Amino acid sequence: MSQNDDISDAEPSASRERLDALEIENAVLRNALDLADLGVWSWNFEDAITCDARASRLIGVPAGQAVTVADFLVRFRETAHSRLLDAFDRAQRRTGEFDEVFELDARAPTVNVERLRFQGQLSADARVLSGTCCPEAAVLPVSAAEGSLARMA
């Protein structure tokens, strides 16, 4: 048996261990997102925005399917369209991130919240803008959260 045989025998085991570790990490992250009531979205700078199940439910777009920017925007009040596009543009071209609240269009059939907080960040390779969204009420300012914890103590 050569040294290369030992390496090739060990590779599937190491690959399986890496895959198991990634699955555990994914489950932990999904649990944290669920606990925080956060949805995840991404935009590939072409005309495709993709949302996970929670973001899809909050915004009213199909889960796991890419939607056009236009189809995404119609879920928001018309007054929010330019602000949302501006936030995406600022993050892509200047700041690398944003954190803003946008009003949803109450006429959208599956929307049951009025305002969503969107946080986004440009990927390290600058190819994708992605982030989280949640109902505005689900996010407490740090001072309010600290006050709640102090009252519980």
Side-chain angles (χ1 to χ4, degrees):
M1 180 184 264
S2 72
Q3 187 176 10
N4 287 341
D5 290 336
D6 290 338
I7 292 171
S8 63
D9 288 342
E11 284 179 19
S13 175
S15 294
R16 182 72 226 166
E17 286 175 14
R18 286 192 301 272
L19 183 59
D20 289 345
L22 285 173
E23 288 174 353
I24 290 169
E25 184 177 340
N26 188 44
V28 168
L29 289 172
R30 178 53 48 198
N31 188 50
L33 290 169
D34 289 345
L35 191 62
D37 199 22
L38 291 172
V40 177
W41 57 269
S42 64
W43 178 40
N44 66 4
F45 298 133
E46 292 178 13
D47 195 30
I49 295 176
T50 306
C51 298
D52 74 350
R54 177 165 284 109
S56 295
R57 181 177 39 80
L58 290 169
I59 301 165
V61 297
Q65 296 178 10
V67 295
T68 66
V69 173
D71 287 338
F72 185 80
L73 286 177
V74 298
R75 306 302 175 164
F76 295 86
R77 288 191 187 154
E78 197 170 323
T79 56
H81 293 186
S82 62
R83 288 181 36 247
L84 189 55
L85 290 173
D86 183 57
F88 282 9
D89 185 63
R90 275 194 331 269
Q92 181 183 8
R93 299 183 195 285
R94 294 188 300 257
T95 64
E97 60 188 19
F98 71 91
D99 182 347
E100 294 190 35
V101 174
F102 301 101
E103 302 80 21
L104 289 160
D105 188 339
R107 295 171 296 171
T110 59
V111 173
N112 59 3
V113 296
E114 289 184 29
R115 297 162 55 95
L116 289 179
R117 179 177 183 184
F118 272 76
Q119 296 176 301
Q121 184 170 343
L122 192 60
S123 63
D125 63 4
R127 292 175 43 196
V128 175
L129 180 65
S130 61
T132 60
C133 64
C134 65
E136 182 184 31
V139 180
L140 289 175
V142 173
S143 59
E146 288 172 348
S148 295
L149 291 174
R151 284 191 297 278
M152 291 172 28

